[in-house]
Amino acid sequence: MVASHNRSVAVVGAAGYVGQQLCRRLKKDGFDVAGVCKAYSTFLVTRLGVRSLNATNLSGKEKFEQVINLAYPTRGAVYTRRSQNYEIQKLLAQLLAPGGHLIHASTLAVFGMNLERPQNPGPTTVRPDNEYSQSKAEMERSLVRHSRGGSLDIVRLGNIWGPGCPTWTVGLAGRLIRGEPLIPLDADGYSNVTDVANVCDYFVFLLKRQTRETRFHHLAEFSSTRWSRFIEFLSKEMRIEGCAAELPPTNGISRINDLKTALGQIQIKQALRAALETQHLGSQLRGILSCLPEGVIARLKRLRGGASFPLSPSLSSEDSLILSILGCSIEFQSVTEAGWVPPVALDQSFNEVAAWLHCSGYV
Amino acid sequence: MVPNVTFVMVSDTRPDAAGTVATKLGCARGTAEETIAAAEFVIIATPPQSHASLSKAVLEQGRDASVEKPFTISYAEGKAIVDLAKRRNRRVHVAQFRRFFPKMELARDLILSGVFGPILEIDIHEGARFEWMVTTDYIHNDPYGGVLLDTGAHTLDMALYATGLDDQADLGMKVISVSRDKGEPAHEIDCRFELETPAGAFSARLQLSRIRALANVIRIRCERGTLEFDVGCKGPIWIRNKDKRFSVWPSFQIDTFLQAFVSQYRSIFSTLGDNRLSGCRFLNQMRILEALYHHGSQP
């Protein structure tokens, strides 16, 4: 059965942050919305007055002329991302009517987490990268390859910001409360932010402008605003000073540098010291070391784990990732369809977030 | 992880679920009665409305019990269980593992030291978009499956423990307002109430959500400063005084909830008299939760 008119839309990933905002907006605009999500999050969709479809139990009989996909792999081991992407694609194929219009939410991170690759509003190549960037790029490539004469819009979103947004609003506010590093020393990166209301508006705009081709869009209408503006705003509202830390050193992308990063987790010298104090192994090691020439001992002493005087508190891998994004020196410029104007300006966006901070216990 | 403990039997109203757990633990599966008879100590991890009856059965058979939160669904039920345990010379504990977050003891010591003066206000917020992959309809259909008893039992307990109000004799309360997204089981709730101690009364707010993110913070405003900490297992206590905000760290840290969970059971099985989780210390929590639960519960 094909939905009778193109006011009917399925939103995959409807229970997520953007999904709920989008469902609300589509319903307000008079669309007939079906929210596709996992069974345990159905209530997050139905409470909006939107009907829900169980992502793991679709009949495949109801087809939609228009589908918006917000879902991406988030759970399970990182090496399962490809198979999770495959499952999402199968789900999209079940929902989309032949020749239908698919809008897929991707990310600026397909150009690298620090946008280290040239930005091109066209197909991107899949290269070795962290699991998030790579799985997003792989999904784009697969969707382009399998779009069969229908309309495909791939929207690469900047860093999403808005009231209650998990990563960049709740995330930054939470870091302020907990005193976690938030301000990269000597770096004030481009925020590359897009407000969630503008994201929803752009999706609605695209729903009304479908073509029989594949198009790429970049959305980060506040890209040129530096992160310091956002952090100062949160800091002022919450009356908490942010904690600064040095940006972690960036190494080039290579197997050797990746191995160094992984081995950096192992404190070899501490491990050797601990081993030397054990009974059996320690006895053998002490015996071996007592026979080694002094030059070799000196080289062993220079192994990783020696005392140092860090300028910043030791950073977790999450701290390092966040700080490197906050220090991003490259702007991700919007590339959107002619005729679209973001309805929410930056000041209004800040007002919305301020209101949310006040009613959610942050102030 | 907990020494000198052996699992002997598991029971559940769903035999397949009991079988799965029994296999993992390497023990037998049985009915509730068989399980109570087979063990010296019984862990009750059933829905809240069965906690009182099961605790009673355990204690009457001369066993000790640990009950999952919330202790019971009413103050009267909780008091009856505590009194029964005392009469039978048995122990009943409530498994509220957040009391074992390192910052909790620090917060409690700071407040009870009197350095900050009397409490003026307590502000509690915990909320996040629901992401538990539940396999039952408990949170949607069980009248006690709402966010107040499910999450609120934890967060409220953190505030009561940090302020020493879990132990406060003659704690009174008055509900000012309760708003919910829907009738119980509600997924969002915002409660304002007053607590009365012999030292005076002060206002409190408990805001919880399964739908959206909240600050996930507990603030205890006292006459000479405000203590603030997030509801997670790590991190310091933040102290705010006028325009200054500074941190005070506990003497050790943990990385995961599991470590607190294990500490909880070590305390329960300890012979050293750690009564942090003793049932009598949760009666004030029951009094507050019961009053909030029943206030306007059918909009």
Side-chain angles (χ1 to χ4, degrees):
Chain A
M1 181 186 87
V2 176
S4 60
H5 58 83
N6 64 4
R7 297 295 285 180
S8 193
V9 183
V11 176
V12 180
Y17 173 71
V18 176
Q20 290 186 59
Q21 311 290 327
L22 182 59
C23 285
R24 201 181 272 124
R25 170 63 196 269
L26 289 168
K27 184 164 185 272
K28 186 177 157 216
D29 281 19
F31 284 87
D32 172 23
V33 189
V36 184
C37 61
K38 295 277 172 63
Y40 56 80
S41 4
T42 299
F43 75 101
L44 293 169
V45 172
T46 54
R47 74 178 188 96
L48 301 171
V50 168
R51 70 183 172 103
S52 73
L53 297 175
N54 184 345
T56 47
N57 197 19
L58 287 179
S59 67
K61 289 181 189 159
E62 187 178 4
K63 299 288 188 188
F64 294 83
E65 291 286 352
Q66 310 204 84
V67 175
I68 301 177
N69 177 46
L70 304 168
Y72 63 96
T74 52
R75 292 188 185 264
V78 295
Y79 50 81
T80 63
R81 297 294 182 252
R82 196 168 287 168
S83 60
Q84 290 182 56
N85 265 343
Y86 174 68
E87 292 303 318
I88 294 170
Q89 262 203 279
K90 265 177 36 181
L91 191 149
L92 295 175
Q94 280 186 286
L95 289 165
L96 196 61
H101 180 199
L102 173 63
I103 301 175
H104 170 68
S106 185
T107 174
L108 57 79
V110 296
F111 301 113
M113 294 299 282
N114 288 307
L115 302 175
E116 58 267 20
R117 302 196 184 104
Q119 298 168 35
N120 160 37
T124 184
T125 51
V126 176
R127 298 176 221 212
D129 207 329
N130 76 24
E131 50 97 6
Y132 175 68
S133 300
Q134 187 169 336
S135 77
K136 284 287 207 175
E138 284 175 349
M139 184 64 156
E140 279 192 16
R141 183 180 64 175
S142 189
L143 285 174
V144 168
R145 193 179 285 164
H146 292 105
S147 75
R148 294 183 181 112
S151 167
L152 174 60
D153 283 296
I154 292 182
V155 184
R156 295 170 180 145
L157 300 171
N159 297 315
I160 300 178
W161 164 269
C165 179
T167 306
W168 296 110
T169 319
V170 173
L172 295 185
R175 292 183 83 82
L176 269 174
I177 286 179
R178 295 187 299 269
E180 291 165 358
L182 191 56
I183 302 169
L185 281 170
D186 303 322
D188 185 6
Y190 288 103
S191 68
N192 297 316
V193 151
T194 175
D195 185 279
V196 67
N198 290 332
V199 172
C200 295
D201 190 77
Y202 193 61
F203 284 144
V204 171
F205 178 87
L206 289 178
L207 282 175
K208 298 172 186 167
R209 300 269 194 295
Q210 68 178 92
T211 62
R212 290 271 169 227
E213 59 185 40
T214 297
R215 295 181 296 186
F216 292 85
H217 317 260
H218 294 177
L219 186 53
E221 69 279 9
F222 303 135
S223 58
S224 61
T225 307
R226 302 286 180 158
W227 274 118
S228 56
R229 179 113 184 251
F230 292 86
I231 294 166
E232 277 159 18
F233 156 75
L234 289 171
S235 195
K236 188 175 159 207
E237 290 292 325
M238 294 167 63
R239 295 192 306 123
I240 300 177
E241 292 290 329
C243 171
E246 262 192 40
L247 263 181
T250 49
N251 303 315
I253 298 175
S254 71
R255 283 193 188 84
I256 293 292
N257 284 333
D258 286 349
L259 193 59
K260 282 182 186 171
T261 302
L263 286 176
Q265 302 297 317
I266 304 169
Q267 298 293 318
I268 297 174
K269 201 165 176 180
Q270 269 86 324
L272 266 178
R273 268 203 206 111
L276 278 170
E277 288 172 17
T278 57
Q279 288 179 298
H280 294 281
L281 177 63
S283 173
Q284 287 170 335
L285 282 175
R286 290 190 297 272
I288 292 168
L289 286 174
S290 67
C291 299
L292 289 177
E294 286 222 16
V296 174
I297 300 283
R299 274 205 292 277
L300 282 175
K301 282 184 178 172
R302 285 197 294 270
L303 280 175
R304 285 186 65 84
S308 61
F309 296 93
L311 296 177
S312 300
S314 59
L315 299 175
S316 67
S317 53
E318 188 191 337
D319 289 340
S320 297
L321 177 63
I322 298 286
L323 282 175
S324 69
I325 294 172
L326 295 176
C328 180
S329 57
I330 299 173
E331 189 184 346
F332 177 68
Q333 296 195 333
S334 277
V335 176
T336 52
E337 288 294 297
W340 182 73
V341 176
V344 174
L346 188 60
D347 285 342
Q348 186 183 347
S349 177
F350 279 147
N351 288 341
E352 298 281 330
V353 172
W356 166 77
L357 287 170
H358 282 260
C359 74
S360 303
Y362 286 90
V363 178
Chain B
M1 290 192 201
V2 181
N4 304 320
V5 168
T6 307
F7 289 99
V8 295
M9 196 171 278
V10 170
S11 92
D12 196 282
T13 52
R14 293 177 301 158
D16 56 330
T20 303
V21 176
T23 303
K24 272 191 189 159
L25 297 177
C27 66
R29 177 180 72 171
T31 63
E33 295 75 21
E34 288 168 342
T35 303
I36 293 170
E40 295 169 297
F41 191 100
V42 181
I43 296 173
I44 299 168
T46 56
Q49 55 269 52
S50 59
H51 287 182
S53 57
L54 285 169
S55 300
K56 184 166 177 280
V58 169
L59 294 168
E60 282 178 345
Q61 290 212 40
R63 272 66 170 155
D64 296 326
S66 166
V67 188
E68 269 300 319
K69 56 82 193 167
F71 183 17
T72 56
I73 57 171
S74 72
Y75 174 83
E77 278 189 355
K79 184 79 170 59
I81 295 302
V82 166
D83 290 345
L84 176 60
K86 197 171 173 184
R87 286 198 303 275
R88 296 291 179 125
N89 198 25
R90 303 311 317 173
R91 294 180 299 155
V92 66
H93 307 268
V94 183
Q96 300 240 209
F97 69 94
R98 292 192 190 187
R99 289 192 177 195
F100 291 82
F101 292 174
K103 69 182 98 172
M104 295 308 302
E105 215 57 49
L106 174 61
R108 186 180 174 92
D109 287 344
L110 285 169
I111 302 251
L112 293 183
S113 72
V115 152
F116 291 94
I119 298 170
L120 301 177
E121 190 178 18
I122 298 179
D123 207 27
I124 309 165
H125 306 268
E126 181 165 356
R129 184 168 59 91
F130 190 79
E131 287 185 334
W132 286 85
M133 292 190 285
V134 294
T135 55
T136 70
D137 60 0
Y138 170 71
I139 67 162
H140 302 297
N141 291 335
D142 191 305
Y144 299 100
V147 71
L148 176 64
L149 295 186
D150 189 29
T151 303
H154 274 310
T155 339
L156 176 64
D157 188 66
M158 290 177 86
L160 293 178
Y161 187 72
T163 52
L165 292 173
D166 63 319
D167 266 344
Q168 176 71 54
D170 305 321
L171 181 72
M173 80 165 291
K174 186 170 83 178
V175 182
I176 310 294
S177 67
V178 175
S179 61
R180 299 173 168 83
D181 63 318
K182 64 181 193 64
E184 292 293 343
H187 298 306
E188 272 205 324
I189 195 164
D190 195 346
C191 313
R192 293 176 197 259
F193 51 102
E194 269 185 15
L195 291 174
E196 294 152 9
T197 70
F202 54 87
S203 60
R205 183 182 182 190
L206 174 63
Q207 186 191 25
L208 305 161
S209 179
R210 283 181 181 141
I211 293 169
R212 60 193 174 100
L214 298 178
N216 295 330
V217 73
I218 293 170
R219 284 187 198 94
I220 303 161
R221 191 164 68 85
C222 302
E223 195 175 75
R224 290 192 284 275
T226 298
L227 279 80
E228 182 178 285
F229 51 92
D230 86 22
V231 301
C233 63
K234 305 187 215 189
I237 304 292
W238 290 92
I239 293 170
R240 203 190 276 271
N241 184 288
K242 295 182 186 150
D243 292 327
K244 297 282 184 198
R245 187 176 188 261
F246 56 93
S247 60
V248 181
W249 288 79
S251 55
F252 71 101
Q253 287 287 304
I254 60 175
D255 290 318
T256 64
F257 280 18
L258 180 61
Q259 288 169 276
F261 212 79
V262 171
S263 297
Q264 160 193 251
Y265 277 103
R266 288 189 176 178
S267 160
I268 286 172
F269 292 119
S270 163
T271 53
L272 297 175
D274 181 351
N275 71 344
R276 236 181 300 189
L277 298 180
S278 189
C280 59
R281 297 183 68 170
F282 294 88
L283 295 179
N284 284 339
Q285 185 202 113
M286 289 296 97
R287 191 196 304 273
I288 296 169
L289 287 177
E290 183 182 12
L292 296 175
Y293 179 84
H294 289 291
H295 189 89
S297 61
Q298 295 301 327

